[in-house]
Amino acid sequence: MYNSYLDTFICVADCGSFNKAAEQLFISPTAVMKQINALEKQLDLILLNRTAKGITLTKAGESIYKDAKYMIAYSEQAIKKAGKLAQTERKTLRVGTSMLNPCKVFMDLWYQVSDQFSQFKIQVIPFEDDHDGILSVISQIGQTFDFIVGVCDSSQWLYLCNFYRLGEFRKMIAVPHSHRLAKKKRLKITDLYGETLMMVKRGDSEINDLLRDDLEKNHPQIHIEDTPHFYDINVFNRCEETNQLLLNLECWRDIHPSLVSISVDWNYTIPYGLLYPKKPSNTILEFLDALSSFDLSQD
């Protein structure tokens, strides 16, 4: 936007010496002098009085010195302004992705609508699944992420973000390959009698609490072991290590290579969709409005 030699000129004027300016600019004094000579030649002006005692600004140099600082500041503001406009035109959507909350669902629906909304671009941002830290991740929706794809009826999650429902996933049972039930194509609830079923503890998911109520009231032969409110890979590892059952979702059926997920004769499902900020930007609202005109349900 401006002649970069002006930066060198200002530094020389402030230091009063080619040598001192060279130290600050991390170049040689010879390079500093060459840049000043080149600037004076381009402007056809003498900017510096060179004496044995040092340098001083000429009248022309004083004028250029004052205006150059303004030009540099204005140029920086102009670049920032242009960058913001370019970012607005691109309308980048930042999508979080992890092992348990992959962005594939988002990308699949994106490919359905992208031709109609070429002004949007996608940036995929990875995060870690950790039951102790997931709420911190969810709280970053609107800052680090615009969207995270997730299964959600968590009261703690929904306190921190909005939810755009896309469909439902069936609740299934995951069992280790060595387990007696692993060969079954479909399970009856009575098949679970005598087994320990790992599932999230009460208090966060209304759907899971309803399922737990059903099991405790009507099927007390199934022992229930609490897991943290939010799964991470350690929960799947424990299922495999203890040879127990794990309440799972069809979207997680391939998470752990040593587990097989089997459908159950019940009607329990959980919604999945897009988690987005409590105070969404106009770009996010525009994208969600665009989605509403498409049949995106994957039920």
Side-chain angles (χ1 to χ4, degrees):
M1 293 290 292
Y2 62 91
N3 192 322
S4 61
Y5 290 167
L6 287 174
D7 290 316
T8 302
F9 168 67
I10 290 173
C11 187
V12 170
D14 288 339
C15 292
S17 162
F18 289 122
N19 289 334
K20 291 180 180 179
E23 291 178 2
Q24 289 196 16
L25 296 171
F26 300 102
I27 57 178
S28 68
T30 301
V32 171
M33 286 186 281
K34 285 183 177 179
Q35 290 185 25
I36 296 300
N37 292 338
L39 178 63
E40 289 180 323
K41 183 176 181 180
Q42 291 174 12
L43 298 178
D44 194 22
L45 294 170
I46 301 299
L47 303 177
L48 298 174
N49 294 312
R50 298 160 173 82
T51 68
K53 296 182 179 181
I55 59 151
T56 58
L57 294 173
T58 64
K59 292 293 184 181
E62 291 177 357
S63 178
I64 292 294
Y65 178 83
K66 293 177 181 178
D67 290 340
K69 287 197 170 184
Y70 170 79
M71 290 170 58
I72 292 171
Y74 184 81
S75 178
E76 290 175 348
Q77 291 176 5
I79 292 172
K80 289 180 180 178
K81 181 180 178 181
K84 289 180 179 179
L85 290 173
Q87 185 67 28
T88 300
E89 291 176 356
R90 288 196 293 268
K91 296 183 179 178
T92 299
L93 296 174
R94 302 163 301 171
V95 184
T97 189
S98 70
M99 181 181 294
L100 296 182
N101 299 276
C103 66
K104 183 180 184 302
V105 170
F106 183 95
M107 298 311 298
D108 287 346
L109 67 88
W110 165 251
Y111 293 135
Q112 295 183 53
V113 304
S114 59
D115 289 344
Q116 302 294 323
F117 307 102
S118 57
Q119 72 271 33
F120 293 107
K121 293 184 181 296
I122 306 300
Q123 180 184 11
V124 176
I125 302 175
F127 65 90
E128 293 294 328
D129 293 305
D130 178 356
H131 72 266
D132 288 326
I134 189 64
L135 288 178
S136 176
V137 172
I138 300 302
S139 69
Q140 294 174 39
I141 297 175
Q143 302 174 40
T144 304
F145 316 99
D146 295 309
F147 293 106
I148 290 177
V149 179
V151 292
C152 184
D153 77 327
S154 164
S155 60
Q156 294 180 75
W157 285 25
L158 294 175
Y159 177 78
L160 296 170
C161 65
N162 284 317
F163 182 64
Y164 184 98
R165 184 184 180 280
L166 294 172
E168 295 180 342
F169 285 126
R170 292 173 296 154
K171 286 188 174 291
M172 307 177 76
I173 296 294
V175 302
H177 282 290
S178 59
H179 196 277
R180 66 178 182 85
L181 299 177
K183 300 297 184 182
K184 285 185 172 288
K185 299 297 183 183
R186 190 172 183 87
L187 297 173
K188 299 177 181 179
I189 295 184
T190 54
D191 291 328
L192 311 184
Y193 286 5
E195 299 288 345
T196 295
L197 174 63
M198 301 166 58
M199 63 182 298
V200 297
K201 59 186 178 181
R202 284 187 181 277
D204 184 58
S205 165
E206 181 179 356
I207 295 172
N208 282 330
D209 288 352
L210 288 172
L211 174 55
R212 182 187 286 261
D213 289 341
D214 181 8
L215 296 178
E216 290 179 348
K217 179 180 179 180
N218 301 311
H219 308 280
Q221 300 89 341
I222 304 171
H223 174 68
I224 296 176
E225 178 180 309
D226 288 345
T227 71
H229 279 149
F230 314 116
Y231 283 6
D232 56 22
I233 194 61
N234 292 325
V235 174
F236 294 89
N237 286 336
R238 175 166 173 75
C239 174
E240 194 276 331
E241 291 166 359
T242 60
N243 204 41
Q244 296 179 161
L245 311 183
L246 175 67
L247 184 64
N248 199 22
L249 299 173
E250 60 178 305
C251 59
W252 294 340
R253 63 197 313 167
D254 298 320
I255 288 293
H256 198 294
S258 297
L259 302 178
V260 56
S261 291
I262 309 170
S263 297
V264 186
D265 286 336
W266 59 32
N267 295 317
Y268 290 102
T269 61
I270 191 168
Y272 74 88
L274 303 180
L275 306 174
Y276 67 99
K278 281 289 189 181
K279 296 180 179 180
S281 66
N282 290 335
T283 298
I284 292 174
L285 291 175
E286 184 178 349
F287 182 76
L288 292 176
D289 183 63
L291 293 185
S292 67
S293 63
F294 286 79
D295 179 13
L296 300 171
S297 175
Q298 299 182 24
D299 290 349

